[in-house]
Amino acid sequence: MARRGRACVVVLGDLGRSPRMQYHALSLARQMSFQVDIVAYGGSVPHEALLKHPSIKIHTMVQPKFLQILPRIFYPITLLLKAIIQFTMLLWYLCVKIPAPDVFLVQNPPSVPTLVSVKWASSLRRAAFVVDWHNFGYTLLALSLGRNNLLVSLYRWFEKRYGKMATGSLCVTKAMQHELDQNWGVRARVLYDQPPEFFRVASLEEKHSLFCRLKKDLCHPVGVHDIISGELEKQNPHETLFTAKIDDSIFLKPNRPALVVSSTSWTPDENFSILLEAAVMYDRRVAARLKGNDDSVEISEEQQHIYPKLLFVITGKGAEKEKYEEKMRRLNLKHVAFRTMWLAAEDYPLLLGSADLGVCLHTSSSGLDLPMKVVDMFGCGLPVCSVSYSCIHELVKDGKNGLLFSSSSELADQLLMLLKGFPERCDALMALKEGAMETGSSGRWASEWEDNAKPLFAEVVSQITD
């Protein structure tokens, strides 16, 4: 069979919230000169580089909305109906709507019905079938149903059976590679997430422009009037919370708050209560250290700047967002403020490149995957405080490019230690920033993909074209 020079990337989810699959599509087009069809759901806007590439075409499926309004009691029936509808829709797109490819690349999870649909389509169209293992689908389902649920066991059986049928496999960690090899009979190559070239430290001009664009988002607090609202009310048009412009000169304000960024899908495997509790502890400990036990003691200007005000900006969309926003509204904080927002794909790297510290609360349902958000932060030279779990050490080197914590109290201690003397005299934070810069510059997506994914795609394509 002659080579077609085509690939199909399958994402049974919001493509704009699947950065790794967007990077795969760009690499297949750029580094293998393939024509790439992407079959995915709509929602968030993908990165501009994807939308503008002449060799990439996005085919947007429509979500079956009526299933979202069924009562919780019908959850098992809803799952079955959803799987049947998605299976039929995927087969239609993969076997009829798009030209026949040399290779299908599918994101897992979700596993059902994705793996089944892509396996059938690859057989019918005589194409290779590659699975990119981000996590295990059955462990995500177990978060809501419990590990011993019959549906979870059935899901795992499908995931394992059809995962083994793939022509080739990629995965995100060595720990997952070992699990797939030993217990699933799947030989996978590790393709670590690496930041693409647009994740980098932002320039002063880019920071000022970004914060000017975000002024409206920062003006609207999650809760009542807070410290950030008060600061914004005093500003002139050429000033932001963090920067100021005089004539043609832009500079960082010496009394600016520390900007701490966290991104999330607002799912059960990220417990944001830890961050809220740590924020409360930071707020109380700073107040206590500034005033001591005697509220009548006047605080000097120098003492007020020992510990900075904190602005937590939390980006992302997800089911639990409103629940945590309601918790934020109930907090009565004097030194800390929260903002939640969703950024354009082009602005998110700029926010990371402008921040002072990142926080990651991802724990992984399987304990075998790594948070891509931390990879992006390192690409921008941003040090990270991350929840500790089994394989996070493959990414976060404790004390070098970030710190690991296991409780809200530990996180509060780390915030106090790292931000003391901010912005000029915070040596511990600067040391971690150097480590994050080193990690971020040690590898980029294009080179990682060239070394580990391209040989696999070349191999599986040659198998079906010989």
Side-chain angles (χ1 to χ4, degrees):
M1 185 181 74
R3 178 172 166 171
R4 300 154 179 159
R6 302 195 72 94
C8 176
V9 176
V10 183
V11 181
L12 197 65
D14 184 343
L15 178 62
R17 295 168 64 187
S18 304
R20 182 174 166 105
M21 301 309 287
Q22 293 184 58
Y23 305 158
H24 269 303
L26 284 168
S27 291
L28 286 163
R30 290 172 175 173
Q31 294 168 250
M32 293 194 75
S33 300
F34 276 2
Q35 295 292 316
V36 180
D37 294 289
I38 302 176
V39 175
Y41 286 127
S44 308
V45 180
H47 200 278
E48 189 177 10
L50 200 76
L51 298 174
K52 289 185 174 180
H53 201 288
S55 298
I56 298 175
K57 184 175 182 180
I58 300 172
H59 305 263
T60 304
M61 299 184 293
V62 179
Q63 290 266 24
K65 291 184 179 179
F66 76 93
L67 294 175
Q68 299 173 13
I69 61 174
L70 290 176
R72 175 78 181 176
I73 193 172
F74 296 117
Y75 187 64
I77 298 172
T78 302
L79 282 179
L80 181 60
L81 283 174
K82 187 176 181 180
I84 292 171
I85 293 170
Q86 289 175 334
F87 175 74
T88 306
M89 187 181 298
L90 273 173
L91 275 185
W92 168 253
Y93 273 86
L94 302 184
C95 295
V96 179
K97 289 275 286 184
I98 66 167
D102 293 306
V103 59
F104 287 101
L105 170 64
V106 59
Q107 168 186 292
N108 184 74
S111 316
V112 179
T114 328
L115 297 183
V116 186
S117 303
V118 177
K119 172 56 187 171
W120 284 28
S122 67
S123 298
L124 289 169
R125 308 203 81 169
R126 299 180 66 191
F129 166 32
V130 175
V131 178
D132 189 17
W133 297 81
H134 297 194
N135 199 349
F136 292 114
Y138 82 93
T139 62
L140 290 170
L141 185 61
L143 290 176
S144 56
L145 298 181
R147 286 263 180 170
N148 298 322
N149 187 278
L150 180 61
L151 280 176
V152 173
S153 299
L154 185 62
Y155 197 103
R156 185 183 187 279
W157 181 85
F158 269 102
E159 188 171 22
K160 182 175 181 180
R161 176 176 174 80
Y162 281 91
K164 288 169 66 174
M165 293 181 184
T167 321
S169 290
L170 298 165
C171 65
V172 294
T173 63
K174 290 180 180 177
M176 183 174 288
Q177 181 189 46
H178 183 267
E179 170 68 14
L180 286 167
D181 183 47
Q182 296 297 309
N183 299 318
W184 290 62
V186 173
R187 300 292 299 275
R189 297 191 187 197
V190 177
L191 176 69
Y192 280 120
D193 284 320
Q194 295 286 5
E197 66 280 358
F198 40 81
F199 283 91
R200 53 177 175 76
V201 179
S203 67
L204 266 176
E205 291 77 10
E206 288 173 325
K207 290 177 182 180
H208 185 70
S209 178
L210 173 69
F211 294 134
C212 285
R213 290 198 299 276
L214 294 182
K215 262 191 175 182
K216 288 184 179 178
D217 296 291
L218 296 174
C219 278
H220 299 289
V222 169
V224 294
H225 191 84
D226 59 21
I227 55 164
I228 299 303
S229 308
E231 290 286 334
L232 288 166
E233 287 172 359
K234 305 172 190 175
Q235 291 176 1
N236 63 56
H238 302 292
E239 186 182 5
T240 74
L241 271 174
F242 307 96
T243 59
K245 186 175 183 179
I246 300 177
D247 297 325
D248 292 328
S249 298
I250 297 171
F251 60 90
L252 289 171
K253 294 162 71 173
N255 63 340
R256 66 187 182 274
L259 177 57
V260 183
V261 175
S262 185
S263 58
T264 178
S265 298
W266 299 105
T267 50
D269 62 348
E270 292 184 278
N271 182 5
F272 257 79
S273 293
I274 293 175
L275 181 58
L276 301 189
E277 291 165 7
V280 171
M281 291 178 191
Y282 177 92
D283 193 77
R284 290 175 180 171
R285 292 178 193 177
V286 168
R289 293 185 188 196
L290 288 177
K291 294 185 179 181
N293 295 321
D294 186 356
D295 288 343
S296 66
V297 176
E298 188 174 340
I299 310 164
S300 70
E301 186 72 16
E302 183 179 352
Q303 282 178 309
Q304 289 180 38
H305 294 294
I306 292 175
Y307 296 100
K309 298 170 184 175
L310 293 192
L311 173 59
F312 287 98
V313 173
I314 304 169
T315 70
K317 296 179 181 178
E320 297 199 338
K321 181 181 178 182
E322 290 184 3
K323 180 182 85 172
Y324 282 108
E325 284 183 332
E326 181 58 34
K327 289 184 178 182
M328 291 172 195
R329 291 186 189 101
R330 297 182 193 141
L331 300 178
N332 182 23
L333 305 175
K334 296 180 180 179
H335 304 277
V336 180
F338 285 91
R339 296 293 185 273
T340 59
M341 60 182 70
W342 175 257
L343 295 170
E346 289 70 38
D347 279 346
Y348 178 62
L350 291 176
L351 177 66
L352 297 187
S354 304
D356 301 299
L357 183 66
V359 172
C360 176
L361 296 158
H362 177 84
T363 54
S364 173
S365 61
S366 64
L368 298 172
D369 70 314
L370 293 173
M372 193 167 191
K373 67 197 79 179
V374 173
V375 174
D376 296 338
M377 289 173 182
F378 287 159
C380 295
L382 185 63
V384 176
C385 292
S386 175
V387 170
S388 181
Y389 65 95
S390 56
C391 69
I392 191 65
H393 302 87
E394 290 189 39
L395 179 59
V396 180
K397 311 302 179 185
D398 195 27
K400 182 179 179 183
N401 54 19
L403 297 175
L404 300 175
F405 62 87
S406 300
S407 66
S408 54
S409 180
E410 273 190 272
L411 176 56
D413 289 341
Q414 290 171 2
L415 292 172
L416 286 163
M417 184 268 292
L418 292 174
L419 297 173
K420 183 179 180 181
F422 180 88
E424 299 298 333
R425 297 187 297 247
C426 43
D427 294 341
L429 180 63
M430 292 301 104
L432 286 186
K433 188 172 182 64
E434 287 181 14
M437 292 281 288
E438 184 181 335
T439 302
S441 62
S442 64
R444 290 285 165 169
W445 173 266
S447 56
E448 177 76 9
W449 199 90
E450 187 79 19
D451 293 341
N452 297 293
K454 186 176 180 178
L456 174 66
F457 283 106
E459 179 184 323
V460 297
V461 168
S462 68
Q463 290 177 14
I464 60 104
T465 56
D466 286 344

